């Protein structure tokens, strides 16, 4: 069969490509793999299931839970909770499987199903393939006492909020913050965690109705956050996405602070406290050169990976590093979490502000973002980016930049597109280099 799992679980149009039938089949397949493997921790395998606020999450949750229980797996229903919250409770409750029903920052009509391994970590690709192989196959259905039990888990929000608060070493009293919850999974737990940590909180995007998730609010729409920070005279603002695994910020002037700047603030703080493992941060090739330069000046190494938080996580786990992330706001702090956690990120930045007495603008000013231009060149053979003419043009432009900028060519994973990214000391120069390279790509790689 075709692959069901993408880079971040199974996603699609809810009730279109992602149906109740498919959700139930995935639940059955996941439970069968665990039951047949026999490596579960307790006398019976246990799953925890959480979701974001999309209306489609209600029927998909019931379908997944029905599949899991019908195949002999006990289930704790966590109801609405961010992805990192489900990951946390997968670990603390000793579950063998975590299930998140969310399409993250995607528009409301979409939804997704993400599976987490024991401990709240990403499921291995081999296990995903095994689950896919079980979908739709005949199976021996358990009956009687062998059918799984389904139980609501009451203190979901309380447990996760308490965990977040424990990561903050000093109260955040005196800090006023705006939190944009994207009308998503953080709408209840987000403000609670910040308030319990001592901050004064103004919440926006915290009234989900099942259809308004990510609709003009959240980490992909920062205008309302900037306006609210200025209106309320807040010290900073933070915006998470629908499942709250990413976070972007604005400072007290309403200026955006991106994921690179957030990582720089956290890395320098951890470095000063001797808590940054081997003084190394893991970031993708899309992180701005200004970020790399700022950390190198402080004696911190930046380890680069391919684009995607899964690659950041792989490198962090392989090297034992405890900080990594993406420019888009996925920040992973493995001392406290197994995945990107937007609320944790916000709390740690606020803790840095409280501990130093400095503004977010001042802290983020440690790095200067080089102007960055990204052009998508369509109608080309994305498999031939190693063309001699293209490579020669890239080498010539990089030599001309002489270490003051960089060039990155990335073929799309699904479309006949090559992405040309250029960073340079000025916007005009970055644009000129990107346009010259795009012309070479268009000419040399035309279909």
């Amino acid at each position: 069969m075709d692959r069901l799992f993408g880079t971040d679980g199974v996603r699609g149009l809810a009730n279109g490509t992602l149906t109740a039938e498919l959700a139930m089949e995935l639940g059955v397949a996941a439970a069968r793999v665990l039951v047949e493997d026999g490596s579960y921790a307790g006398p019976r395998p246990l799953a925890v299931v959480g979701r974001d606020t999309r209306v489609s999450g209600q029927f998909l949750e019931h379908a997944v839970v029905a599949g899991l229980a019908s195949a002999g797996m006990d289930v704790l229903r966590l109801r609405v909770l961010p992805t990192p919250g489900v990951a946390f409770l997968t670990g603390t409750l000793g579950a063998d499987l975590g299930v998140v029903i969310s399409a993250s920052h995607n528009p409301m009509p979409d939804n997704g199903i993400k599976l987490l391994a024991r401990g709240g970590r990403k499921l291995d690709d081999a296990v995903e393939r095994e689950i896919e192989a079980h979908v739709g196959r005949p199976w021996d259905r358990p009956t009687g006492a062998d059918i799984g039990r389904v139980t609501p888990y009451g203190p979901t929000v309380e447990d996760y909020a308490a965990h977040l608060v424990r990561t903050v070493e000093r109260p955040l009293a005196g800090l006023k913050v705006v939190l944009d919850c994207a009308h998503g999974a953080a709408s209840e737990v987000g403000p609670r965690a910040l308030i319990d940590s001592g901050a004064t909180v103004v919440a926006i995007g915290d009234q989900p109705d099942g259809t308004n998730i990510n609709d003009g609010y959240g980490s992909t729409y920062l205008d309302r956050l900037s306006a609210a920070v200025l209106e309320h005279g807040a010290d900073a603002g933070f915006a998470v996405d629908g499942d709250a695994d990413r976070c972007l910020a604005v400072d007290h002037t309403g200026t955006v602070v991106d994921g690179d700047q957030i990582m720089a603030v956290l890395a320098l703080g951890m470095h000063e406290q001797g808590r940054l493992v081997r003084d190394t941060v893991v970031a993708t090739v899309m992180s701005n050169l200004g970020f790399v330069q700022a950390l190198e000046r402080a004696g911190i190494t930046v380890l680069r990976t391919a684009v995607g938080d899964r690659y950041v996580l792989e490198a962090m786990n392989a090297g034992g590093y405890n900080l990594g992330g993406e420019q888009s706001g996925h920040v992973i702090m493995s001392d406290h979490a197994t995945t990107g956690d937007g609320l944790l990120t916000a709390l740690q930045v606020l803790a840095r502000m409280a501990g130093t007495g400095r503004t977010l603008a001042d802290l983020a000013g440690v790095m200067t973002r080089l102007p960055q231009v990204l052009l998508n060149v369509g109608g080309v053979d994305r498999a031939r980016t190693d063309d001699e003419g293209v490579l020669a043009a890239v080498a010539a432009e990089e030599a001309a930049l002489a270490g003051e900028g960089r060039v990155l060519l990335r073929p799309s994973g699904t479309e006949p597109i090559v992405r040309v990214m250029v960073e340079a000391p000025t916007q005009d120069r970055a644009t000129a280099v990107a346009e010259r390279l795009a012309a070479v790509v268009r000419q040399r790689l035309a279909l």
Side-chain angles (χ1 to χ4, degrees):
M1 63 178 296
D2 292 335
R3 289 298 310 266
L4 290 174
F5 288 91
T7 57
D8 202 26
V10 179
R11 284 195 190 177
L13 178 64
N15 222 25
T17 55
L18 184 55
T19 62
E21 292 85 353
L22 176 56
M24 187 164 67
E25 286 281 4
L26 280 169
V28 169
R32 287 177 61 203
V33 167
L34 285 169
V35 170
E36 292 174 9
D37 181 73
S39 62
Y40 41 90
R44 298 163 59 87
L46 172 68
V48 295
V49 180
R51 62 179 175 87
D52 68 23
T53 56
R54 293 164 215 264
V55 65
S56 60
Q58 298 175 11
F59 82 78
L60 290 170
E61 177 190 8
H62 285 286
V64 169
V65 169
L68 293 167
S70 71
M73 198 164 199
D74 290 342
V75 181
L76 292 177
R77 291 180 55 233
L78 306 180
R79 297 176 297 283
V80 174
L81 197 68
T83 290
V86 177
F88 168 71
L89 289 175
T90 300
T92 60
L93 295 174
D96 303 287
L97 181 72
V99 183
V100 184
I101 299 167
S102 174
S104 189
H105 60 282
N106 282 27
M108 182 277 295
D110 291 343
N111 216 324
I113 299 172
K114 182 190 300 186
L115 303 181
L116 302 170
R118 188 178 299 134
R121 301 189 179 278
K122 180 177 172 56
L123 211 62
D124 289 341
D125 290 345
V127 178
E128 287 185 350
R129 287 193 291 272
E130 191 176 355
I131 290 171
E132 287 177 338
H134 278 73
V135 171
R137 284 188 180 178
W139 57 295
D140 295 327
R141 299 171 183 268
T143 58
D146 292 331
I147 293 173
R149 281 75 163 167
V150 180
T151 309
Y153 183 72
T156 298
V157 169
E158 293 86 346
D159 285 0
Y160 179 46
H163 159 67
L164 291 170
V165 172
R166 285 193 297 270
T167 70
V168 180
E169 296 180 356
R170 60 184 297 161
L172 304 180
L175 288 175
K176 186 175 185 180
V177 59
V178 178
L179 180 65
D180 182 349
C181 303
H183 295 306
S187 294
E188 181 180 358
V189 70
R192 175 173 182 154
L194 267 64
I195 291 170
D196 289 351
S197 297
T200 299
V201 178
V202 176
I204 64 174
D206 63 333
Q207 300 296 318
D209 63 10
T211 64
N212 60 357
I213 187 171
N214 298 323
D215 186 7
Y217 287 84
S219 59
T220 50
Y221 303 95
L222 296 177
D223 288 349
R224 281 191 172 96
L225 178 64
S226 294
V229 166
L230 295 175
E231 177 187 351
H232 294 280
D235 296 292
F238 298 89
V240 298
D241 62 341
D243 71 335
D245 67 348
R246 70 170 68 183
C247 170
L248 293 178
V250 301
D251 64 25
H252 70 284
T253 71
T255 301
V256 172
V257 178
D258 68 13
D260 285 340
Q261 293 168 295
I262 288 171
M263 283 193 292
V265 169
L266 296 174
L268 288 171
M270 294 169 68
H271 172 69
E272 289 173 9
Q273 296 161 14
R275 295 191 296 110
L276 186 63
V277 173
R278 291 196 293 283
D279 287 325
T280 298
V281 176
V282 180
T284 76
V285 292
M286 291 302 291
S287 276
N288 194 277
L289 182 59
F291 165 75
V292 178
Q293 293 171 339
L295 293 194
E296 287 180 344
R297 286 194 297 269
I300 298 171
T301 299
V302 177
L303 178 63
R304 300 269 199 158
T305 74
V307 175
D309 62 329
R310 66 179 297 162
Y311 300 112
V312 173
L313 266 170
E314 286 174 2
M316 290 179 67
N317 291 336
Y321 304 116
N322 60 346
L323 179 64
E326 296 184 284
Q327 192 180 67
S328 60
H330 279 114
V331 177
I332 304 162
M333 305 186 74
S334 61
D335 290 339
H336 306 296
T338 58
T339 184
D341 189 329
L343 297 176
L344 173 66
T345 300
L347 283 166
Q348 294 304 307
V349 172
L350 288 167
R352 177 70 173 158
M353 292 169 62
T356 61
R358 297 166 64 186
T359 67
L360 179 55
D362 185 29
L363 291 169
V366 67
M367 66 162 280
T368 301
R369 283 183 292 186
L370 269 67
Q372 187 180 85
V373 173
L374 178 64
L375 299 180
N376 292 327
V377 185
V380 297
D381 185 351
R382 59 189 171 92
R384 291 197 298 116
T385 53
D386 59 350
D387 172 84
E388 289 185 6
V390 171
L391 293 179
V394 169
E397 296 290 0
E398 287 181 330
L401 287 169
E404 294 184 324
R406 67 187 181 111
V407 173
L408 178 67
L409 263 61
R410 289 179 53 234
S412 166
T414 57
E415 303 173 273
I417 289 174
V418 171
R419 309 188 199 284
V420 178
M421 191 275 283
V422 176
E423 290 170 351
T426 67
Q427 190 70 44
D428 287 346
R429 190 171 178 187
T431 300
V433 173
E435 288 177 347
R436 286 197 295 269
L437 287 175
V440 173
V441 169
R442 196 175 291 113
Q443 177 187 26
R444 300 282 302 188
L445 307 187
L447 290 173

